[in-house]
Amino acid sequence: MRQPFTLVPLNLRTISRVSATLRRTFLATTLPFLLIGTDASAQSDAQLTTILAAAKQGTRSPSMGAALIRDGKVVASAVTGVRRTDRAGDTQIGDRWIIGSTGKPQTAAMIARLVDRGVLTWSMPLSAMLPELADQMRPEYRSVTLVQLLSHHAGLPENVGDMPFIESFLRDRRPLNVQRLAYVARALREPPAYVPGSDFGYSNSGFLIAAAIAERATGKTYETLMRREVFRPLGMSTAGFGATPAGQPTGHEADKPVGPSNSAMFAPAGNLHMSVGDWARFCVDQLAGAKGKGKLLSPASYRVMQTAQPNGPTGLDWGVQASIAGRKGPVLVHSGSDGYWFAYAVLFPASGNGVLVIDNASQKMGGDAAGMAALKEILPTLAPAN
């Protein structure tokens, strides 16, 4: 198993942990403006398909998918390639992809729905939200809030430090909410990486803790809450948890299909799967929310999600920045990977434009390079130069 990780959404520099080694790549672009198809359909858009096929050149990525958003509407979507390298089967437009940590904003939106209804509050201390763990958790964590958990300001390390403990969840057959609570209890006993609230430190553990809080407050599992609060209201019929179903694209390493690198209980931090169309539905709602027209959340909750917190570059859980790769913002960004897939989301809330790109290959197979190449081609069509 690879250590769970994400790609941190800063200026589209990708920060991936592969065998505990950090690597940074900066996306820069000076390519000319391109016209993309203006009519989304159930078929791959021809020009966007061509862009993806070109992005795959020079890599061994089996397949890629993308969705293009203009003025708050999906105007093109496309896939190209094969679902897996060991058998026949071209990728289809409705296929499901593991979107990695780009799913974190969806977890944050579920929590925001509970806040909007008064089930939770942004400012309640952790000791009150998980009282059964209050005596066990380190005192530094007791006053941590939901906002800090979901914006990576809670002082938590990226993951629990015990790798065999993390790997044990791949074999765990207990209910997923019970597994999450066991992980949370361990995470809250480990020393903080920094004083909570004083800095930014990317943490998957914070999202598992937030999920456990929601489960305790509602008596429902994270999976039930996501279906009820996010997927169904937005019509995300392909959205699910953990590994993609049989017959769908799989992740790849060393040119071979591989199973999930993260356990099913890890879903709140980045183990969701869905079609590019359903992923885009969520992002379209986020863009609408930026203009006061969102369906899912209150205006206040959209603002909290999309506003950078003090001492850090993120909202809940969007990277928030003034520009990206030479294109004028403001821009909301996130990227993600479990090592076998790479996913990128870039949204321009002022214009309602955005792009989502995903592929199913490891870094060594060029998965990250393929995604970057596609973004390099598309971003100039979405926002003016600085």
Side-chain angles (χ1 to χ4, degrees), residues 121-136:
T121 65
W122 292 125
S123 59
M124 183 177 291
L126 184 55
S127 59
M129 292 186 287
L130 292 175
E132 65 272 26
L133 298 182
D135 290 340
Q136 305 172 36

Side-chain angles (χ1 to χ4, degrees), residues 74-336:
V74 178
V75 297
S77 56
V79 295
T80 187
V82 295
R83 290 168 169 163
R84 49 190 298 159
T85 55
D86 63 344
R87 65 188 64 167
D90 290 343
T91 307
Q92 303 297 311
I93 197 67
D95 279 356
R96 306 175 190 190
W97 309 72
I98 292 180
I99 66 169
S101 285
T102 64
K104 279 185 170 75
Q106 297 184 26
T107 296
M110 180 272 286
I111 298 290
R113 290 263 289 187
L114 299 181
V115 171
D116 285 344
R117 290 209 301 275
V119 177
L120 296 171
T121 65
W122 292 125
S123 59
M124 183 177 291
L126 184 55
S127 59
M129 292 186 287
L130 292 175
E132 65 272 26
L133 298 182
D135 290 340
Q136 305 172 36
M137 69 179 68
R138 290 182 64 99
E140 298 97 326
Y141 296 132
R142 289 174 185 159
S143 61
V144 162
T145 67
L146 275 172
V147 167
Q148 291 172 328
L149 289 170
L150 297 173
S151 65
H152 310 283
H153 285 74
L156 293 157
E158 184 178 6
N159 305 296
V160 164
D162 183 348
M163 198 61 195
F165 174 73
I166 295 175
E167 290 174 335
S168 73
F169 290 104
L170 287 167
R171 304 179 297 276
D172 202 321
R173 295 295 177 262
R174 292 176 295 174
L176 296 178
N177 60 320
V178 174
Q179 294 182 43
R180 274 189 284 270
L181 196 60
Y183 179 98
V184 166
R186 173 72 71 89
L188 292 175
R189 292 197 299 269
E190 294 193 353
Y194 56 91
V195 176
S198 68
D199 203 353
F200 168 87
Y202 201 90
S203 176
N204 294 312
S205 295
F207 278 73
L208 293 167
I209 294 168
I213 289 167
E215 289 175 330
R216 185 186 185 280
T218 63
K220 305 292 184 182
T221 66
Y222 167 82
E223 291 74 18
T224 296
L225 291 170
M226 288 297 292
R227 293 187 186 101
R228 186 183 78 184
E229 303 295 341
V230 178
F231 300 160
R232 288 174 188 159
L234 294 180
M236 298 167 63
S237 60
T238 66
F241 310 92
T244 54
Q248 295 291 303
T250 63
H252 288 78
E253 172 71 294
D255 301 308
K256 296 179 181 179
V258 290
S261 67
N262 291 323
S263 67
M265 75 89 187
F266 198 72
N271 205 10
L272 305 179
H273 66 250
M274 61 195 65
S275 68
V276 291
D278 278 346
W279 186 16
R281 284 183 175 88
F282 176 79
C283 293
V284 164
D285 183 75
Q286 286 288 301
L287 289 168
K291 297 186 175 183
K293 299 178 181 178
K295 175 181 179 180
L296 203 62
L297 308 177
S298 69
S301 284
Y302 286 111
R303 284 194 298 273
V304 171
M305 284 192 67
Q306 298 178 10
T307 302
Q309 294 297 308
N311 302 317
T314 61
L316 318 182
D317 182 38
W318 290 110
V320 183
Q321 52 201 59
S323 64
I324 184 169
R327 317 317 297 184
K328 185 177 180 180
V331 59
L332 306 175
V333 297
H334 212 304
S335 47

